[in-house]
Amino acid sequence: MTSAEGLDSRIAVIGTGYVGIVTGACLASKGLDVTCVDLPTPQGQEKVDLINDGQAPIVEAGLGELIGKTVRNGNLRATTDLSMAVRRAGIVLISVGTPSAVDGSANTTYVFDAARGIAEHAAPEAIVATRSTVPVGTTRRIGQLFTSLTTKRLYPVSNPEFLAEGTAIADTMKPSRVVIGTDSPEIVGTRMERMWYPFLLNRAEHDLIITNPESSEMVKLNSNFQLALQIIGTNTVAEMCEINGADYRHVQRGTGKDPRIGKFLSPGPGYGGSCFPKDVRALEFLARQLGVESDFLRTLDATNEWHKIRWYEKIAEFYGGELVGKKIAVWGLSFKPGTDDVRESAALRIIPALNQHGAHVSAFDPLAQQTAMKELGNGRENLVYASDQYEAVRDADALLVLTNSDEYTRPNLGRLRGLMKSPIVFDARSIFDPKEMQQAGFYYAGIGRGVVDGRQAA
Ligand code: UGA
């Protein structure tokens, strides 16, 4: 065994956000020795303390248990001391944020800050793998930075993550593919393959893709772009179905039966989160940079924003533009169920619009109330956070459903109707059945299907 092989069982993960901590805990669960690093700031220290205490610094199903187990058995720890973590590692993973800059490009400041620290402290022959979603060319630029800062041989690699919030552990433990982008496939490909081997056991050979750094970076961008594109298409067709008599639930089933068409066919109030909005903007920026025809790309972001705000428009139209004094209950504040993440969520667009036009909002989310309060504020008279979904609808003029959380996908319709001032429901996630809603006496505007009005019948 060469010294690099010995060191390769020791991994440093820079950044303890979604990607970093999930990847770190999963690698530790396979017996690797993992040290996660965050910044020496009060927030960074707080996350490090939580991890070392065996707790998850974010809301993610199963993560607390995995961290607890791997910290207890000594395979996982966290620190704010980058030099200590990096010095002893054969493989360093960069998993820091790359938020959108104003021009749509991804801001790589944190990636290069991490790379500079790594250049200084890494062991010779260390692999430095970028898991953050970065602009095409970043891995090569990291390599150039290394050459300018150190005489040590370091191997920059692109190794994008494909985890989705809410299923992050399963996505990492059973990856749909592992992509490795390197100019030294013999050396680096072999060492990276060894690290990911326990996750690829019993899997087809083509689940591991070794390519050059640019292709690997492009795989990540294209994966999110294709999925986002499908959601935009889905939401556009769903909007048509609301007008032309088609029922998108049937259209979805009929379309999804074509195996060439993927699974991202559920309509909703636009896509949110930290990935699709940012990566679609980054792809559009790349097209402009390369001088590639990008007219249709330019419209995607605005279309997705429309798919969010149109749920405000629907409500405003229902009340003839007169929202003053109306109480609107909102179920769902996060960008999707199973997470406390509210980044770019529909609620963050719609609630301020409702408030601005004089409506009061009573919001409920099973996981994301605290994070939403940080963005939308707390203690205002026109926005209250309810203790449960039924409390939220008490005396409400209407209910708007923005996420399909398990907590409320089978609500008691009689109880709902009894609590509401008027039985009016706008459902941007298809959690209700229109027939049942009509029978139960509701006015019901679902996504991708026409309105039913059972108020007279009941
Ligand atoms: C997404 C990708 O799914 C991951 O593969 C990728 O690794 C990740 O971004 C990333 O780049 O790190 P995530 O943002 O966690 O993961 O969530 P998704 O489940 O993909 O949902 C994104 C948005 O699309 C949500 O607002 C969701 O409600 C919406 N969506 C999803 C729909 O409206 N319809 C669908 O059929 C699917």
Side-chain angles (χ1 to χ4, degrees), residues 196-239:
W196 287 117
Y197 179 71
F199 301 84
L200 292 168
L201 271 176
N202 308 321
R203 302 288 296 276
E205 202 184 317
H206 59 252
D207 291 342
L208 180 78
I209 297 145
I210 300 183
T211 178
N212 68 6
E214 287 74 14
S215 307
S216 170
E217 290 161 344
M218 206 68 205
V219 166
K220 171 65 195 214
L221 218 46
N222 190 36
S223 298
N224 277 0
F225 170 60
Q226 298 294 339
L227 293 169
L229 205 53
Q230 199 157 323
I231 298 170
I232 289 191
T234 285
N235 286 335
T236 301
V237 173
E239 192 178 346

Side-chain angles (χ1 to χ4, degrees), residues 113-372:
D113 285 351
R116 267 183 286 275
I118 294 166
E120 188 180 344
H121 300 290
E125 305 287 310
I127 287 178
V128 182
T130 307
R131 283 187 74 66
S132 309
T133 304
V134 290
V136 178
T138 301
T139 304
R140 201 164 295 284
R141 281 173 58 214
I142 291 175
Q144 287 157 358
L145 181 75
F146 288 161
T147 312
S148 72
L149 293 177
T150 174
T151 51
K152 277 177 291 200
R153 181 79 169 103
L154 298 175
Y155 294 101
V157 183
S158 161
N159 179 216
E161 55 79 25
F162 299 106
L163 58 88
E165 293 179 25
T167 55
I169 292 177
D171 294 342
T172 309
M173 290 294 200
K174 283 191 186 317
S176 52
R177 70 284 201 201
V178 169
V179 180
I180 293 167
T182 171
D183 287 329
S184 315
E186 302 78 24
I187 304 167
V188 174
T190 314
R191 288 170 62 191
M192 287 295 282
E193 187 175 351
R194 200 178 308 125
M195 179 179 83
W196 287 117
Y197 179 71
F199 301 84
L200 292 168
L201 271 176
N202 308 321
R203 302 288 296 276
E205 202 184 317
H206 59 252
D207 291 342
L208 180 78
I209 297 145
I210 300 183
T211 178
N212 68 6
E214 287 74 14
S215 307
S216 170
E217 290 161 344
M218 206 68 205
V219 166
K220 171 65 195 214
L221 218 46
N222 190 36
S223 298
N224 277 0
F225 170 60
Q226 298 294 339
L227 293 169
L229 205 53
Q230 199 157 323
I231 298 170
I232 289 191
T234 285
N235 286 335
T236 301
V237 173
E239 192 178 346
M240 291 178 197
C241 295
E242 286 159 31
I243 305 161
N244 70 6
D247 184 332
Y248 190 80
R249 284 171 309 169
H250 301 163
V251 177
Q252 177 173 1
R253 281 182 62 203
T255 312
K257 289 288 172 198
D258 184 330
R260 294 167 304 172
I261 301 176
K263 295 189 165 56
F264 268 50
L265 291 172
S266 298
Y271 54 71
S274 67
C275 304
F276 290 170
K278 176 168 82 75
D279 292 349
V280 167
R281 283 173 211 140
L283 199 90
E284 199 260 312
F285 179 84
L286 180 65
R288 255 186 293 140
Q289 220 181 19
L290 297 175
V292 168
E293 166 54 44
S294 60
D295 274 2
F296 99 101
L297 291 175
R298 244 192 300 285
T299 62
L300 295 182
D301 199 30
T303 309
N304 187 52
E305 286 301 305
W306 163 246
H307 288 151
K308 295 177 189 174
I309 208 65
R310 80 183 183 93
W311 289 89
Y312 157 76
E313 300 280 352
K314 264 179 190 286
I315 295 173
E317 194 184 318
F318 178 83
Y319 291 112
E322 195 39 77
L323 285 169
V324 177
K326 293 278 181 269
K327 178 176 170 180
I328 313 295
V330 173
W331 286 356
L333 296 168
S334 55
F335 78 99
K336 67 173 187 181
T339 173
D340 67 343
D341 194 343
V342 298
R343 283 175 289 180
E344 310 237 11
S345 78
L348 257 51
R349 297 284 187 281
I350 295 166
I351 292 175
L354 287 167
N355 284 159
Q356 261 163 30
H357 291 84
H360 287 238
V361 171
S362 167
F364 172 70
D365 190 293
L367 295 173
Q369 309 226 130
Q370 297 299 326
T371 43

